[in-house]
């Protein structure tokens, strides 16, 4: 029987599969380096693009491929102060030539950095644990939450990604392929106004309340609500600032912790504030960070209140061989200094607003752009079937990504259906580079057949 007026949504997409190279679908000969990579890493290969790019060098907002082609990097939010920034390179080079050691020894480079990092947070978040990856930071955050709350239940957004350890994969719906979420994890929809009659703040708090009740029915007391403060993998949801307030109140009333995952939005990217949570005027119990922290030098960490860390450390010994090493601290310090001296937070706001304004003109002429969201240099461009805002179009997103790549611009996708373009260039972006992106996006869209 024909179904009338039934909206058929595409299947949800796994975050690591979006825009990925697919060896199975590849036709023709593999280039030798690609063949070698696949032979080396097997099923864990996560290469980008239908035809992966071999990159050999980078500077500022640009990466150069082995064939000499230059790409404007609008994807990579790790080299946030610009690829190979000379200040970061000099700091790392100097320190690795002097000493690199673990945190069982005193070293002033490390403590100068910890002081500088803590100065960016509310005073109550005065203990820092440094690690090597965002996953490790989130893993520790969950363990601190369990020790503090005595609970086991976790709330996450429905397409969240928080990392790759065992307990963190369990709270990363977008990384799970065949199995569903475990019993102690309940999801909430990303905070958007789609289909809501109430304010985003009220609707999101009501969702959190429902999730707490669901955990209760399953016999789990709330341990934590963890969210990426700009809901990156859910499709970039930033506005209106403050929409997290009531949700966090609800979490705290239920005895749970609020963990702010700043791995993507942190370190000035949103332009409005240094941290994504600060845009919402909320107070996290734990903040985790990573990616841009060392501008490519692998480092991550968390900040929390001393009593929470004490409670966890009473039960469990915790040490990391590489976490908090002086070379990482030197990289991290250079990043903080460059953000300040080059006024990159202000630049992120200025260039982000410029891109948003120009994208409004593009959207006015192309009804496949459903919405442009985001803050500073973290924007999401949601794509849909022509004029049908409720019909996500991941195919057009994929064609735009590959079309932009041909035109020398690198960009990725996010969102439950993989139909939101993620715009995350270095914070040092110039207006000229911002315009190159918008012009090439408009060219790419106009070269695609109407959907
Ligand atoms: N949290 C978020 C929001 C992330 O995007 C990521 C990485 N994509 C992580 C945590 C995990 O960080 P890492 O890959 O450094 O372990």
């Amino acid at each position: 029987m024909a179904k009338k007026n039934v909206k058929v949504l595409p299947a949800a997409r796994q975050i690591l599969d979006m825009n990925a190279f697919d060896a199975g679908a590849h036709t023709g000969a593999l280039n030798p380096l690609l063949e070698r990579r696949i032979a080396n890493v097997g099923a864990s290969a996560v290469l980008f693009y239908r035809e992966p790019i071999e990159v050999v060098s980078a500077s500022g907002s640009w990466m150069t491929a082995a064939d000499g082609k230059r790409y404007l990097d609008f994807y990579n939010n790790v080299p946030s102060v610009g690829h190979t920034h000379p200040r970061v390179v000099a700091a790392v080079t100097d320190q690795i030539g002097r000493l690199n050691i673990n945190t069982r020894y005193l070293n002033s480079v490390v403590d100068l950095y910890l002081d500088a990092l803590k100065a960016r947070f509310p005073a109550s978040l005065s203990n820092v644990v440094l690690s090597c990856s965002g996953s490790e930071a989130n893993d520790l955050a969950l363990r601190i939450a369990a020790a503090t709350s005595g609970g086991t239940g976790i709330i996450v957004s429905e397409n969240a990604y928080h990392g790759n350890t065992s307990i963190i994969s369990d709270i990363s719906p977008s990384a799970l392929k065949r199995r569903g979420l475990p019993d102690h994890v309940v999801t909430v929809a990303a905070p958007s106004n789609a289909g809501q009659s109430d304010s985003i703040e009220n609707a999101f708090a009501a969702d959190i309340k429902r999730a707490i009740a669901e955990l209760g029915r399953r016999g789990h007391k709330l341990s934590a609500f963890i969210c990426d403060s700009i809901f990156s993998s859910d499709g970039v949801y930033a506005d209106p600032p403050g929409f997290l307030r009531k949700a966090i109140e609800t979490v705290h009333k239920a005895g749970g912790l609020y963990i702010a995952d700043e791995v993507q939005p942190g370190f000035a990217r949103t332009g409005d504030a240094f941290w994504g949570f600060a845009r919402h005027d909320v107070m996290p119990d734990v903040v985790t960070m990573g990616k841009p922290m060392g501008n490519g030098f692998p480092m991550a960490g968390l900040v929390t209140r001393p009593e929470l860390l004490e409670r966890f450390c009473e039960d469990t010994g915790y040490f990391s061989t590489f976490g908090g090493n002086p070379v990482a601290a030197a990289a991290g310090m250079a990043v903080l200094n460059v953000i300040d001296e080059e006024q990159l937070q202000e630049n992120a706001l200025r260039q982000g607003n410029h891109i948003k304004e120009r994208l409004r003109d593009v959207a006015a002429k192309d009804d496949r752009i459903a919405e442009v969201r985001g803050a500073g240099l973290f924007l999401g461009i949601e794509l849909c079937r022509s004029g049908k805002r409720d019909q996500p179009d991941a195919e057009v997103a994929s064609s735009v990504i590959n079309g932009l790549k041909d035109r020398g611009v690198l960009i990725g996708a996010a969102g439950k259906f993989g139909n939101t373009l993620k715009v995350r260039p270095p914070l040092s972006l110039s207006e000229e580079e911002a315009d190159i992106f918008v012009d090439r996006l408009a060219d790419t869209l106009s070269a695609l057949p109407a959907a």
Side-chain angles (χ1 to χ4, degrees):
M1 198 170 70
K3 288 184 186 162
K4 269 192 209 158
N5 298 325
V6 176
K7 201 168 44 179
V8 182
L9 289 172
R13 304 275 297 261
Q14 219 237 347
I15 200 104
L16 296 175
D17 281 350
M18 282 176 195
N19 182 35
F21 168 73
D22 179 355
H26 192 270
T27 50
L30 294 182
N31 85 47
L33 191 56
L34 179 53
E35 200 170 348
R36 195 156 146 197
R37 172 66 65 87
I38 290 165
N40 282 331
V41 306
S44 72
V46 288
L47 292 159
F48 281 146
Y49 296 109
R50 290 171 196 157
E51 292 298 333
I53 307 169
E54 182 188 351
V55 210
V56 289
S57 64
S59 174
S61 307
W62 296 85
M63 299 208 290
T64 305
D67 62 5
K69 183 164 174 172
R70 293 178 78 229
Y71 292 94
L72 184 59
D73 186 2
F74 260 62
Y75 186 87
N76 207 330
N77 61 347
V78 173
S80 202
V81 301
H83 283 276
T84 60
H85 193 290
R87 291 279 299 277
V88 182
V89 173
V92 167
T93 309
D94 175 68
Q95 186 59 42
I96 205 160
R98 209 177 281 274
L99 172 79
N100 203 15
I101 196 71
N102 65 50
T103 48
R104 292 191 192 273
Y105 300 90
L106 289 173
N107 182 273
S108 64
V109 175
V110 175
D111 287 280
L112 283 172
Y113 176 60
L114 295 177
D115 288 345
L117 184 64
K118 275 167 47 170
R120 312 280 165 154
F121 285 98
S124 58
L125 299 173
S126 62
N127 277 177
V128 187
V129 181
L130 293 177
S131 57
C132 304
S133 70
S135 304
E136 247 181 285
N138 281 332
D139 193 290
L140 178 59
L142 282 203
R143 294 169 74 191
I144 290 173
T148 305
S149 66
T152 45
I154 307 289
I155 303 173
V156 291
S157 59
E158 66 181 345
N159 210 48
Y161 181 79
H162 293 293
N164 63 10
T165 71
S166 178
I167 69 167
I168 298 298
S169 294
D170 275 351
I171 63 151
S172 295
S174 74
L176 299 179
K177 291 185 179 173
R178 293 194 190 164
R179 68 183 171 98
L181 289 166
D183 195 54
H184 69 283
V185 183
V186 169
T187 63
V188 287
S192 88
N193 53 11
Q196 307 277 18
S197 51
D198 208 345
S199 70
I200 293 178
E201 182 177 9
N202 285 341
F204 194 59
D207 257 11
I208 292 281
K209 222 175 193 165
R210 273 192 291 276
I212 294 169
E214 175 59 24
L215 283 169
R217 273 192 290 281
R218 298 183 190 179
H220 294 286
K221 177 184 179 302
L222 181 65
S223 178
F225 164 55
I226 176 168
C227 71
D228 168 334
S229 312
I230 199 162
F231 295 84
S232 317
S233 57
D234 285 287
V236 187
Y237 292 91
D239 287 326
F243 73 60
L244 280 178
R245 264 191 305 247
K246 283 190 181 158
I248 304 310
E249 268 172 39
T250 309
V251 167
H252 282 151
K253 265 193 209 138
L257 267 63
Y258 160 44
I259 302 168
D261 182 334
E262 292 287 337
V263 168
Q264 295 220 27
F267 293 92
R269 178 159 289 281
T270 66
D272 294 332
F274 202 80
W275 305 111
F277 72 81
R279 298 181 66 250
H280 291 289
D281 191 23
V282 287
M283 176 59 93
D285 301 287
V286 186
V287 180
T288 59
M289 56 212 135
K291 288 188 190 284
M293 197 171 184
N295 206 51
F297 192 87
M299 63 184 299
L302 66 74
V303 295
T304 188
R305 296 195 300 279
E307 65 274 21
L308 305 195
L309 198 55
E310 271 162 33
R311 177 74 196 82
F312 169 74
C313 290
E314 277 166 14
D315 288 341
T316 312
Y318 191 85
F319 171 70
S320 164
T321 300
F322 296 122
N325 69 73
V327 178
M333 185 65 116
V335 166
L336 293 179
N337 289 337
V338 170
I339 290 173
D340 287 348
E341 286 162 26
E342 298 184 8
Q343 301 181 344
L344 295 186
Q345 187 174 319
E346 294 77 0
N347 192 57
L349 189 61
R350 195 167 42 246
Q351 301 309 336
N353 285 341
H354 175 69
I355 294 174
K356 257 193 199 164
E357 214 165 279
R358 288 214 50 207
L359 285 176
R360 259 181 221 120
D361 293 340
V362 179
K365 293 184 203 118
D366 195 320
D367 62 3
R368 290 169 297 184
I369 298 183
E371 192 169 40
V372 178
R373 299 184 287 267
L377 284 176
F378 206 142
L379 304 178
I381 307 170
E382 185 173 326
L383 299 172
C384 62
R385 289 179 65 79
S386 239
K388 298 187 173 123
R389 296 192 54 171
D390 59 349
Q391 292 187 25
D393 195 337
E395 293 319 309
V396 84
S398 175
S399 301
V400 169
I401 288 167
N402 284 284
L404 273 173
K405 178 201 154 199
D406 294 343
R407 290 170 176 80
V409 178
L410 304 181
I411 195 167
K416 187 171 176 182
F417 306 108
N419 63 315
T420 299
L421 302 174
K422 250 189 314 190
V423 175
R424 301 179 310 196
L427 308 186
S428 50
L429 192 78
S430 68
E431 189 167 309
E432 193 189 347
E433 290 164 341
D435 286 336
I436 292 174
F437 163 69
V438 181
D439 292 344
R440 293 186 191 174
L441 174 67
D443 286 352
T444 305
L445 279 166
S446 55
L448 291 178

